[in-house]
Amino acid sequence: MDKAEKTWDGAIVRTWLESRVVAARSDQVVAERGGWDRQDDCDKATAEEMVCTLMKAKPATNAQAPFLDELRTLLDRDEYIWRGVYNDTRFDRHVRTFVKKLIKMAKANDGFANTTHYQ
């Protein structure tokens, strides 16, 4: 099956989002243990957890266009507030980067089947 012929599967997207939440939480624990030098890694994992947590709860995961609209709405926010953030500016940058990655994945409808920890 050609990539252009793939149909959107909300269940696969939700499973991928859930697996990323678990991986991000694990990465946060590892970064926390690393101390002050790993705070950026912790902020990056926290950003991924926030985006995936917010997106998996939305009914927009059932269809590609609404999912993209929700991602664009999230990208348009001025600032992001979440628990366990060390540097707000850095965290906002990581959130925007991860949302852009998800937008690319959603447009191509590719990558959601990969639920491995490290991607």
Side-chain angles (χ1 to χ4, degrees):
M1 181 182 283
D2 189 75
K3 286 184 182 182
E5 295 175 8
K6 284 186 184 179
T7 58
W8 185 263
D9 188 345
I12 289 175
V13 173
R14 285 186 297 279
T15 300
W16 184 86
L17 290 168
E18 182 60 40
S19 74
R20 295 315 309 152
V21 168
V22 171
R25 288 179 182 162
S26 173
D27 290 346
Q28 287 173 49
V29 170
V30 170
E32 288 285 340
R33 290 180 182 162
W36 188 80
D37 292 338
R38 303 276 316 270
Q39 286 181 351
D40 186 52
D41 294 339
C42 190
D43 283 348
K44 186 175 184 179
T46 303
E48 183 175 356
E49 178 197 2
M50 185 200 84
V51 172
C52 291
T53 299
L54 292 175
M55 294 308 296
K56 75 176 183 161
K58 300 201 181 274
T61 58
N62 292 325
Q64 189 174 15
F67 186 71
L68 283 166
D69 290 341
E70 288 289 341
L71 287 170
R72 288 183 186 111
T73 300
L74 185 59
L75 188 61
D76 288 340
R77 279 191 189 176
D78 289 334
E79 62 180 13
Y80 304 94
I81 299 172
W82 201 253
R83 68 193 180 304
V85 175
Y86 288 102
N87 182 304
D88 291 334
T89 304
R90 195 170 44 202
F91 176 73
D92 287 355
R93 185 182 71 235
H94 290 312
V95 169
R96 292 180 197 292
T97 300
F98 191 73
V99 170
K100 289 174 185 175
K101 172 188 173 182
L102 273 179
I103 288 172
K104 286 180 185 176
M105 287 175 62
K107 281 182 179 178
N109 191 15
D110 190 38
F112 293 109
N114 181 7
T115 57
T116 59
H117 183 99
Y118 297 105
Q119 297 188 4

